[in-house]
């Protein structure tokens, strides 16, 4: 089985699990799995796929997740 397909399945499963669990935690994982999937499609070695996975999780958690969760200061 191709490695990109495994990353894609993990991304899809975690995105579907996000529907049942509040808090956007699984969505961060889904973003990481998607980034690793793209790295695998570009034939990067596994270590770089893991780096993309962690990088996408961090970027999504710090920049995108607060926008969705509504934890911003209202007007301050």
């Amino acid at each position: 089985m191709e490695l990109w397909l495994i990353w894609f399945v993990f991304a899809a499963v975690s995105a579907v699990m996000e529907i049942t669990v509040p808090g956007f935690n699984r969505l961060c994982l889904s973003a990481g799995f998607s980034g690793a999937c793209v790295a695998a499609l570009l034939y990067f070695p596994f270590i770089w796929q893991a780096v993309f996975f962690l990088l996408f999780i961090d970027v999504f958690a710090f920049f995108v997740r607060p926008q969705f969760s509504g934890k911003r200061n209202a007007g301050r």
Side-chain angles (χ1 to χ4, degrees):
M1 183 178 270
E2 296 288 331
L3 196 53
W4 68 267
L5 186 58
I6 295 170
W7 288 116
F8 179 77
V9 168
F10 284 155
V13 168
S14 64
V16 169
M17 286 174 50
E18 177 59 40
I19 295 171
T20 62
V21 178
F24 295 102
N25 294 328
R26 302 294 188 283
L27 203 55
C28 293
L29 279 176
S30 182
F33 288 134
S34 298
C37 178
V38 169
L41 282 171
L42 295 173
Y43 299 106
F44 284 16
F46 181 76
I47 189 71
W48 283 106
Q49 293 173 28
V51 168
F52 271 59
F53 172 71
L54 295 174
L55 182 69
F56 274 60
I57 286 177
D58 288 342
V59 168
F60 195 89
F62 288 120
F63 295 113
V64 179
R65 185 176 174 215
Q67 300 296 324
F68 285 131
S69 64
K71 293 183 179 178
R72 295 176 290 182
N73 272 335
R76 293 184 197 184

